[in-house]
Amino acid sequence: MKHRKKIGLVSAAVLVGTLAGFTQPSHAVARLGQHAAKHASANTTPLTIVPGPNGDFQNDFNPFSPAMNYGTIGLIYQPLFYFDNISGKTYPLMGMSYSWTNANKMLIVHLRNAKWSNGTAFTSSDVVFTFDLLKKYPAADANGVWSQLSSVQARGPHEVVFQFKQANVPFASYVLEQFIVPQRVWAKLGDPTKVGAMQPMGTGPYILSSFNAQDYKFYSNLQYWGGPPVVRNLDFPAYSGNQSADLALATGQIAWAGIFIPSIQSIYASKNPHNKYWFPPSNVVMLYTNLQDPLLSQLPVRQAMSLAINRNQLYLQGEYGYEPPASPTGLVLPNNKAWVDHALPKQDLAFSYNPAKAIQILEKAGFKKNAQGIFSKNGKPLSFTLQVVSGWTDWDTDASLIANQLGKIGIKVNVQEEQFGAYFSNINSAKKNYQLAISWTNTGPSPYFLYQNMLNSKGSFNVEQLRNATVDHALQMFSQTSSLAVQHQAINTLEKYMAEQLPSIPLVFGATWNEYNDTNYTGWPTASNPYVNPAPFTPISVGIVLTHLKPVN
């Protein structure tokens, strides 16, 4: 299975058109040349990074483009803050601090005293300009920040005031994670979604050094507010497939990657004691149930299905031992361990595999096996189609295992493998065209984001089509307060609902693919030091990892 991008956070609009007439100022070109000369003579080892095997590159470093090259956001362009979904930490980037006032409807951000890579000052004018750009060109507003904001104003050179239409505290992460672009450059370019190839200029720790379809390079930014990274040179070579990338990883040609590797211990880790990996959970893989289906809308059916699924088998066979069984609460663990409601009964905190109990639940609910051995009631058999993406081998295997497991208790499941476009349209279009489907969850720095996206009546990934007043009230209660105690109260309600009502059925935790070689650099995120999302394909966190690394010698 390919690594899945989080939908909603840090995305961008479609890139079309070309840039006409833009060149960097001559003094900036001179600085870049001096910088390149210094780094060319530096006695440091480049770090080779392959976030994923994606074939030839396009010259696209436009942060508003969904096809932007890796590193565009995080290495070149930075947001005000980063809210990490693995550690739960908040990293101040172009912002130093923020505070709420006016009943949580006004957000005040104090900015960092920093410079763009050409040496010019970063100010509140750049922040206001960026948000005004999103308002003027709605296609660029990928996270819909202007659906919640009423105004963005500068209060001096290093303070910005965001006025919200109504209190929505967690939505601030979408606002504060918006990358910022320099006004002096982008004011000349018009619609940012129609800007083509250009020399990018940001506030991030790196500067683009060279580009071709097979390879692009960065060197560290001498103007960076945190000081130039000690990893001075980065190399991003192109790989067309996993097989060649896996070989390059095992032999040390790639230092950092985010690639799915089956049997990683024998294929990669055993080849070199410096070959390391850490696959922390970043989301929950769900068996989504279409609650508009008259059979799946019945709780006993969902309860029986959950009890009949052997999640340990999914974990060890379908997921190669990388993705352990999920929590009934829907929490991503251990990431969200501080949010666990320990007052919940034992059965709400861990799944059990109990096919016999599953059969008892169905029989008690009035289901009887027909001549084919399938449970049915009122002439309607428990027979469903399960959709997955063709070629996502671990999920395809999971689907086959689930079909077999449910078949043993009298629930028939037909696995239907679809191309991604058709699959995603079936589960996420206005008219849901599916019964069962395996898919991801959209997460964030707290459990609110998974619940909001999946369970809210108007959630952006409410695949199951849940409509529940208790759930909506809890989510609203969370969104309107900055009190941690009140937020915990709301999350406790959602945990209990998720575990006991099973609006959809958690299967396993979704792993974050991350392999690294520590021969030349140390300081990588690990299970014992999980300071940030470790994947090189995760925007923003990639820059945080690189600025934490130190040379071995």
Side-chain angles (χ1 to χ4, degrees):
M1 180 190 60
K2 309 295 187 294
H3 57 260
R4 309 167 197 107
K5 295 183 179 178
K6 182 165 52 177
I7 298 173
L9 287 172
V10 194
S11 57
V14 177
L15 173 72
V16 292
T18 58
L19 169 69
F22 171 68
T23 57
Q24 285 206 341
S26 58
H27 63 275
V29 174
R31 279 198 183 97
L32 296 184
Q34 294 164 8
H35 193 165
K38 284 187 178 182
H39 284 265
S41 61
N43 186 20
T44 57
T45 304
L47 190 73
T48 303
I49 305 173
V50 179
N54 294 288
D56 289 354
F57 301 118
Q58 300 297 315
N59 190 0
D60 187 353
F61 294 90
N62 177 355
F64 296 97
S65 166
M68 75 185 90
N69 289 313
Y70 293 113
T72 302
I73 297 175
L75 300 185
I76 300 173
Y77 298 95
Q78 289 187 313
L80 300 173
F81 294 86
Y82 172 60
F83 302 89
D84 188 54
N85 68 324
I86 301 294
S87 66
K89 292 182 179 180
T90 298
Y91 285 89
L93 296 174
M94 302 318 297
M96 290 288 287
S97 64
Y98 65 88
S99 59
W100 289 98
T101 186
N102 189 27
N104 293 321
K105 290 190 291 186
M106 181 180 290
L107 181 65
I108 302 172
V109 177
H110 297 277
L111 303 179
R112 187 179 298 280
N113 186 6
K115 294 180 179 180
W116 296 99
S117 58
N118 71 341
T120 58
F122 164 82
T123 71
S124 57
S125 296
D126 296 304
V127 178
V128 173
F129 168 80
T130 299
F131 281 90
D132 285 347
L133 198 64
L134 303 183
K135 187 175 185 179
K136 184 176 181 180
Y137 300 99
D141 186 9
N143 293 320
V145 297
W146 281 104
S147 68
Q148 299 293 318
L149 295 175
S150 60
S151 67
V152 179
Q153 296 179 326
R155 188 186 285 176
H158 295 107
E159 189 172 285
V160 179
V161 178
F162 296 90
Q163 184 67 51
F164 283 67
K165 296 175 183 177
Q166 58 187 10
N168 194 340
V169 172
F171 191 86
S173 67
Y174 293 88
V175 173
L176 297 175
E177 281 195 344
Q178 170 61 45
F179 57 84
I180 308 301
V181 297
Q183 180 179 9
R184 63 179 295 161
V185 173
W186 289 81
K188 308 171 186 176
L189 303 180
D191 186 344
T193 69
K194 296 181 180 179
V195 172
M198 63 183 298
Q199 174 66 42
M201 187 179 84
T203 55
Y206 288 90
I207 294 172
L208 179 65
S209 173
S210 64
F211 172 84
N212 64 60
Q214 289 295 311
D215 184 277
Y216 60 91
K217 294 179 171 61
F218 290 98
Y219 53 80
S220 59
N221 177 11
L222 292 178
Q223 304 289 344
Y224 185 54
W225 53 265
V230 295
V231 183
R232 296 191 177 182
N233 298 285
L234 308 178
D235 187 15
F236 287 78
Y239 282 84
S240 59
N242 273 35
Q243 186 174 1
S244 58
D246 289 352
L247 179 61
L249 255 175
T251 55
Q253 298 173 59
I254 299 171
W256 188 17
I259 302 171
F260 173 75
I261 303 176
S263 306
I264 193 169
Q265 194 62 36
S266 60
I267 292 176
Y268 172 68
S270 65
K271 303 299 182 183
N272 187 324
H274 292 284
N275 287 351
K276 309 288 180 64
Y277 65 94
W278 177 45
F279 295 161
S282 61
N283 70 97
V284 177
V285 178
M286 287 282 174
L287 176 63
Y288 283 101
T289 63
N290 189 336
L291 298 179
Q292 297 303 305
D293 184 286
L295 293 173
L296 293 171
S297 66
Q298 299 179 43
L299 178 59
V301 174
R302 303 195 302 276
Q303 289 175 325
M305 293 173 71
S306 182
L307 285 164
I309 294 173
N310 185 340
R311 291 171 178 80
N312 277 321
Q313 189 178 22
L314 304 186
Y315 165 40
L316 296 174
Q317 295 184 25
E319 302 298 339
Y320 298 88
Y322 301 150
E323 300 182 332
S327 164
T329 63
L331 296 177
V332 182
L333 300 174
N335 311 9
N336 298 149
K337 62 183 179 181
W339 294 89
V340 174
D341 180 7
H342 294 286
L344 288 172
K346 183 179 179 181
Q347 65 267 22
D348 288 354
L349 294 172
F351 283 112
S352 61
Y353 171 55
N354 195 333
K357 186 176 180 180
I359 292 173
Q360 291 174 3
I361 288 174
L362 290 176
E363 290 176 339
K364 185 177 180 180
F367 289 90
K368 297 181 180 180
K369 287 188 177 181
N370 60 20
Q372 289 74 42
I374 301 172
F375 273 109
S376 63
K377 185 168 65 174
N378 300 326
K380 295 180 179 179
L382 294 182
S383 178
F384 307 105
T385 297
L386 169 57
Q387 295 190 31
V388 287
V389 179
S390 177
W392 288 15
T393 54
D394 56 342
W395 283 6
D396 295 343
T397 302
D398 290 342
S400 295
L401 291 171
I402 289 170
N404 181 263
Q405 292 163 5
L406 296 185
K408 290 179 179 179
I409 68 162
I411 298 177
K412 184 177 181 180
V413 173
N414 298 301
V415 176
Q416 181 176 323
E417 295 186 13
E418 298 273 7
Q419 293 300 308
F420 178 81
Y423 154 90
F424 192 70
S425 176
N426 288 341
I427 68 171
N428 202 44
S429 61
K431 185 178 180 181
K432 305 294 190 290
N433 184 25
Y434 84 102
Q435 292 176 303
L436 299 171
I438 296 178
S439 199
W440 61 82
T441 47
N442 295 324
T443 60
S446 79
Y448 169 86
F449 294 87
L450 182 149
Y451 293 137
Q452 164 68 17
N453 279 285
M454 188 179 78
L455 302 181
N456 188 287
S457 295
K458 298 180 179 179
S460 63
F461 208 60
N462 186 345
V463 171
E464 66 272 43
Q465 304 179 85
L466 177 69
R467 305 289 185 268
N468 184 273
T470 300
V471 167
D472 289 347
H473 175 73
L475 289 165
Q476 184 180 31
M477 182 170 72
F478 187 106
S479 71
Q480 293 183 342
T481 183
S482 53
S483 165
L484 191 59
V486 177
Q487 289 181 342
H488 270 274
Q489 182 182 348
I491 293 299
N492 288 350
T493 298
L494 296 166
E495 289 180 44
K496 183 177 179 65
Y497 184 88
M498 187 74 199
E500 297 183 359
Q501 296 301 313
L502 289 169
S504 279
I505 302 171
L507 297 175
V508 295
F509 292 122
T512 301
W513 311 122
N514 163 59
E515 302 90 13
Y516 63 95
N517 184 293
D518 63 4
T519 299
N520 297 307
Y521 296 101
T522 63
W524 299 91
T526 63
S528 60
N529 185 23
Y531 63 85
V532 79
N533 187 312
F537 52 77
T538 304
I540 310 176
S541 71
V542 60
I544 294 170
V545 172
L546 289 168
T547 53
H548 276 71
L549 297 185
K550 297 179 181 179
V552 171
N553 297 313

